[in-house]
Amino acid sequence: MSDFLTPNSMIMLQQAMSFQWAKQRAISDNIVNAETPNYKVKYVTFEEALRKNIQAAAQDRNAAPSAMRQTLEAAAPQVRVASDERARMDENGVNVAEQHIELVRSAYQTQHLYRAFSSDMSRMLMAIRGQ
């Protein structure tokens, strides 16, 4: 829970970092279990549900001003299991090359989030110092 001084952009960055952490953990689990028979691939969703919730909060004209903040704070990544994917005859659904690509993509997204967070912190420090 954030206080009233925390901007919505900072809450969004916090939630995005939480999503990235869950995504990297799921990808790592998939790679580790690449040789486990009957293992089903895990994937993490976040953007679609968050987008729908933000659009609903933005369209509700009668909502309290804190509705958007509550929508952002309530967002949580969801880990799902792909039951219909099979990469091998033993019904293991892990495509290791695909998982490595997703891991690299996730690393770039995390790096972008760190830069955005650092930029927001720099702006806040400049405002506090009066520069």
Side-chain angles (χ1 to χ4, degrees), residues 9-69:
S9 63
M10 195 63 69
I11 297 170
M12 181 67 112
L13 284 171
Q14 176 185 357
Q15 298 297 60
M17 286 181 190
S18 174
F19 162 70
Q20 285 303 119
W21 174 250
K23 184 177 178 182
Q24 287 180 350
R25 192 170 56 226
I27 293 169
S28 297
D29 285 348
N30 292 339
I31 292 171
V32 166
N33 288 296
E35 297 297 322
T36 304
N38 296 321
Y39 180 79
K40 304 301 179 200
V41 175
K42 295 178 191 174
Y43 64 97
V44 181
T45 61
F46 179 71
E47 294 98 342
E48 297 85 15
L50 180 63
R51 185 179 303 117
K52 288 178 187 176
N53 290 348
I54 288 174
Q55 288 172 348
Q59 290 176 354
D60 188 2
R61 303 278 184 220
N62 297 326
S66 62
M68 185 63 73
R69 179 175 290 263

Side-chain angles (χ1 to χ4, degrees), residues 3-131:
D3 58 14
F4 69 96
L5 293 175
T6 306
N8 286 349
S9 63
M10 195 63 69
I11 297 170
M12 181 67 112
L13 284 171
Q14 176 185 357
Q15 298 297 60
M17 286 181 190
S18 174
F19 162 70
Q20 285 303 119
W21 174 250
K23 184 177 178 182
Q24 287 180 350
R25 192 170 56 226
I27 293 169
S28 297
D29 285 348
N30 292 339
I31 292 171
V32 166
N33 288 296
E35 297 297 322
T36 304
N38 296 321
Y39 180 79
K40 304 301 179 200
V41 175
K42 295 178 191 174
Y43 64 97
V44 181
T45 61
F46 179 71
E47 294 98 342
E48 297 85 15
L50 180 63
R51 185 179 303 117
K52 288 178 187 176
N53 290 348
I54 288 174
Q55 288 172 348
Q59 290 176 354
D60 188 2
R61 303 278 184 220
N62 297 326
S66 62
M68 185 63 73
R69 179 175 290 263
Q70 291 170 351
T71 298
L72 292 174
E73 289 175 346
Q78 298 177 349
V79 179
R80 302 192 187 274
V81 177
S83 59
D84 60 344
E85 292 184 25
R86 292 182 181 97
R88 297 192 330 231
M89 301 256 320
D90 66 356
E91 296 191 13
N92 181 299
V94 179
N95 180 335
V96 177
E98 182 180 291
Q99 293 300 310
H100 279 103
I101 291 169
E102 284 301 314
L103 190 60
V104 170
R105 182 192 331 238
S106 180
Y108 280 122
Q109 290 170 340
T110 302
Q111 185 179 24
H112 175 72
L113 286 171
Y114 288 151
R115 285 184 184 150
F117 182 77
S118 177
S119 176
D120 277 4
M121 287 288 110
S122 296
R123 280 195 297 274
M124 287 177 98
L125 285 172
M126 279 194 337
I128 290 169
R129 292 179 183 146
Q131 297 175 343

